[in-house]
Amino acid sequence: MDKTSRETSGQESLDKSTWTGDFEKVKTTPQAPVPPVVQFKNVSKEFSRGREKFLALKDVSFVVDNLPDIGEFVCILGASGCGKSTLLRVIAGLEPHFPPSAGEVLVGGKPVKGPGTDRAMVFQDYTSYPNRTVLGNVEFGLEIQRVPKKERRDVAMSWIEKVGLTGHEKKYPYELSGGMKQRVAIARTLAVRPSIVLMDEPFGALDPETRYSMQELLIGLWKEMQSTVFFVTHSITEAAYLGDRVYLMKGPPGRLVEEIRLPRPNESPLEVEKRADFREVVALLNSKIHGQRSK
């Protein structure tokens, strides 16, 4: 994908408030542009397997701008092995995917040096701590941040209610279904209010009905959080429903081949899938990934 830049320049308005006295212009100081949330500059990642080398990402560049009080939902879509998860872990600063072999990764205009509290991740595998209750799991990140006990308890209980787990606070992970475990993981992640949420196929192992309900829940929580979400999936319909923009990836090696902007649906996934315009979007994405339109 061609490298793009989105520079903003301060411009002064020429309305009446800009002028005083004998049309003497009031001097104003242009505001500095807000740095992008995430920026990749020609990023490549190579892994070594003994004497063999494997190129997981090749020359990936993109910019996700900072949209104050809005946030953005970015879906990373592609077949298995195209570098989606590697890209996500590079943003997270997680070894062995980080650091990249070439290029630069910026978060908030600053080079990524490793994991940070501004980023939080939800994995496909259920990552609840088995020796902690639902409440204890959701409190975990707040404990790490040294939030006072009463405050973190209140925050955790609030998020448990938001993800629909009220009444299950004292249960342990082995007592929960797959969907409930992912609700715990989402609550634990969002409770610390990261500016960037990274999600690696978090609904991939769920049954269709649970997956639909989790998609709807996630959209509702995201609108409240107004964070920037990077969501990895190989499901075309999931990307079409969730994404404000979709990054299409192909590989190996992993390459970002196209960016597609999509409208934000307000209905549930089941209702949206009945719409002809949504089916057209799915057909478009399918054709770009597989080279032909689905019937």
Side-chain angles (χ1 to χ4, degrees):
M1 182 177 185
D2 292 338
K3 179 180 176 183
T4 60
S5 63
R6 300 178 183 178
E7 298 178 350
T8 58
S9 58
Q11 295 184 351
E12 298 174 347
S13 173
L14 298 182
D15 62 11
K16 293 182 180 179
S17 63
T18 311
W19 304 84
T20 60
D22 296 330
F23 297 102
E24 179 183 357
K25 191 174 182 182
V26 176
K27 294 182 180 179
T28 60
T29 302
Q31 293 184 347
V34 178
V37 176
V38 176
Q39 185 172 9
F40 269 43
K41 297 182 177 181
N42 305 103
V43 172
S44 296
K45 178 62 183 182
E46 185 178 71
F47 293 99
S48 296
R49 296 175 178 173
R51 295 181 179 180
E52 297 181 357
K53 294 186 182 296
F54 172 70
L55 190 59
L57 292 177
K58 182 180 180 181
D59 198 28
V60 175
S61 295
F62 65 83
V63 176
V64 176
D65 290 320
N66 191 337
L67 303 178
D69 302 321
I70 299 176
E72 191 169 4
F73 210 113
V74 182
C75 282
I76 305 169
L77 176 65
S80 298
C82 70
K84 304 186 301 296
S85 295
T86 298
L87 186 150
L88 206 68
R89 284 166 170 75
V90 169
I91 298 174
L94 297 178
E95 297 180 347
H97 305 80
F98 183 86
S101 306
E104 187 176 21
V105 181
L106 305 176
V107 169
K110 298 179 180 179
V112 174
K113 297 182 179 179
T117 56
D118 55 346
R119 288 151 285 148
M121 192 157 181
V122 178
F123 299 88
Q124 179 177 359
D125 297 331
Y126 307 134
T127 54
S128 298
Y129 298 101
N131 62 331
R132 282 176 171 257
T133 62
V134 168
L135 178 59
N137 267 281
V138 178
E139 284 186 313
F140 181 76
L142 299 168
E143 289 182 30
I144 298 298
Q145 294 183 357
R146 300 181 181 276
V147 175
K149 184 175 182 180
K150 184 181 185 307
E151 181 181 347
R152 72 172 183 253
R153 179 64 53 92
D154 291 342
V155 171
M157 290 297 292
S158 172
W159 279 101
I160 287 171
E161 180 182 1
K162 289 176 182 178
V163 299
L165 289 177
T166 300
H168 301 281
E169 300 89 347
K170 297 181 180 180
K171 291 185 178 179
Y172 287 87
Y174 73 88
E175 300 176 279
L176 306 177
S177 67
M180 294 171 73
K181 290 177 184 177
Q182 281 300 56
R183 289 172 186 262
V184 173
I186 290 171
R188 184 179 66 235
T189 300
L190 299 186
V192 298
R193 290 197 168 272
S195 57
I196 300 172
V197 180
L198 307 166
M199 310 188 81
D200 192 1
E201 299 198 54
F203 308 147
L206 302 178
D207 63 85
E209 184 176 351
T210 303
R211 189 167 186 159
Y212 282 134
S213 65
M214 292 298 290
Q215 289 172 3
E216 194 168 7
L217 170 68
L218 180 59
I219 286 293
L221 295 176
W222 167 74
K223 288 180 178 178
E224 178 180 338
M225 283 285 295
Q226 299 175 343
S227 299
T228 299
V229 177
F230 286 83
F231 189 99
V232 164
T233 182
H234 64 267
S235 168
I236 295 174
T237 55
E238 188 165 66
Y241 176 71
L242 294 175
D244 291 312
R245 76 169 88 180
V246 175
Y247 284 153
L248 295 177
M249 293 191 68
K250 291 187 178 181
R255 294 164 290 115
L256 184 54
V257 296
E258 190 166 354
E259 173 187 315
I260 298 175
R261 301 298 183 102
L262 298 175
R264 162 62 42 216
N266 292 318
E267 300 94 337
S268 69
L270 285 173
E271 290 300 317
V272 169
E273 286 190 8
K274 298 175 184 178
R275 288 170 30 180
D277 57 344
F278 181 79
R279 293 196 295 270
E280 280 294 316
V281 170
V282 172
L284 171 66
L285 293 176
N286 186 70
S287 69
K288 290 181 176 295
I289 291 176
H290 301 296
Q292 61 182 3
R293 282 190 174 271
S294 60
K295 295 182 180 180

